[in-house]
Amino acid sequence: IPSSKKQGGLTKKQLRQLNHQLKSPRLGNKYAVAEVFSPPRFTPEVEKMGLKGISFDVLNGWDFTVKANRDWVKEELRLNPPELLVICPPCTDAGGWFNLNSLYMSCSEVLSRRRKLKTFMLFVKDLIRQQVAAGGRFLFEHPAGSDVWHDDEMQQWCQELTSFITHM
C-alpha cells in the first residue's frame, strides 16, 4: 500500500490505525460473514480471501418457520459472532404486491402470512440486537416500500446507524 496520499495511498496515521486493527483480537474468529435469509452471495467472496462464511437460507435447507432452526442459528451466531451479519428476509408478505393481492386471499391466509412475517422479523431483530451487542456490523436488505420500515425499532436503527436507499 503506497504510503503517499498523493499517490492514492494511506497516510501514516491511517497505516498505524490499520495495523492496530489487524493486531487487535477480532470478532468473527469463526465466520467473517454470516448470511441469514440469503443464499451464498457474500460467503463465496470472503472464501476467495481465505476467510470463512456461512449462509442460512431456504435454498440450502434452512426453514425459518421451524423454531428449532431459528434457535440453532441464533445460538450459533451468539457463540460465533461474525464480522458482518447480512440479513435479507423475504419481502413477499411485507407490502407492495402483497397488499394488492391480499384483497383476493382468504382472511386466514392473509393472517397466516402476516404472522409468518412477524415471526421472521422478531427473529431478525433478535439477531441484529445480538450482533450489535457483540460489537459486530450488520447489513439489512429490504425494499424501500416494505412495511418493515414502519417498525419502531427499525426506524430507530435507521436514525442511529448508517442507512441508505439504493436502486435494486
Side-chain angles (χ1 to χ4, degrees):
I1 300 173
S3 61
S4 169
K5 191 159 181 142
K6 289 180 183 178
Q7 296 174 350
L10 302 174
T11 64
K12 288 181 181 181
K13 181 179 179 182
Q14 290 170 327
L15 282 171
R16 283 193 312 270
Q17 290 173 333
L18 182 59
N19 283 328
H20 176 72
Q21 288 175 6
L22 292 174
K23 290 177 185 173
S24 63
R26 293 175 37 156
L27 192 66
N29 288 331
K30 187 170 182 181
Y31 305 117
V33 66
E35 302 176 82
V36 180
F37 289 109
S38 175
R41 294 181 292 170
F42 288 79
T43 298
E45 297 304 315
V46 299
E47 288 174 347
K48 288 177 189 174
M49 298 185 296
L51 302 170
K52 188 172 179 187
I54 190 165
S55 171
F56 304 101
D57 188 62
V58 71
L59 294 178
N60 51 17
W62 290 93
D63 180 3
F64 289 123
T65 60
V66 178
K67 185 178 182 332
N69 289 346
R70 294 191 307 268
D71 290 344
W72 190 92
V73 168
K74 187 176 174 185
E75 183 64 11
E76 175 66 11
L77 296 181
R78 185 187 69 75
L79 295 173
N80 300 293
E83 282 283 330
L84 176 65
L85 174 65
V86 178
I87 307 175
C88 312
C91 60
T92 317
D93 302 328
W97 288 106
F98 175 74
N99 291 340
L100 294 173
N101 292 332
S102 65
L103 299 172
Y104 303 101
M105 295 178 191
S106 68
C107 186
S108 63
E109 184 177 357
V110 171
L111 292 175
S112 172
R113 292 176 102 178
R114 287 194 176 152
R115 187 176 332 111
K116 184 169 100 174
L117 175 66
K118 185 175 181 178
T119 300
F120 286 170
M121 286 312 299
L122 289 172
F123 173 56
V124 162
K125 292 191 299 184
D126 283 347
L127 291 177
I128 291 172
R129 277 188 231 103
Q130 184 174 286
Q131 179 72 359
V132 170
R137 296 173 291 171
F138 72 93
L139 182 149
F140 179 81
E141 177 189 325
H142 229 253
S146 170
D147 294 340
V148 166
W149 299 114
H150 300 293
D151 178 82
D152 290 339
E153 198 166 14
M154 292 302 289
Q155 287 181 348
Q156 182 180 348
W157 283 328
C158 285
Q159 290 172 1
E160 292 175 5
L161 305 170
T162 303
S163 64
F164 54 92
I165 299 172
T166 64
H167 190 275
M168 290 179 71

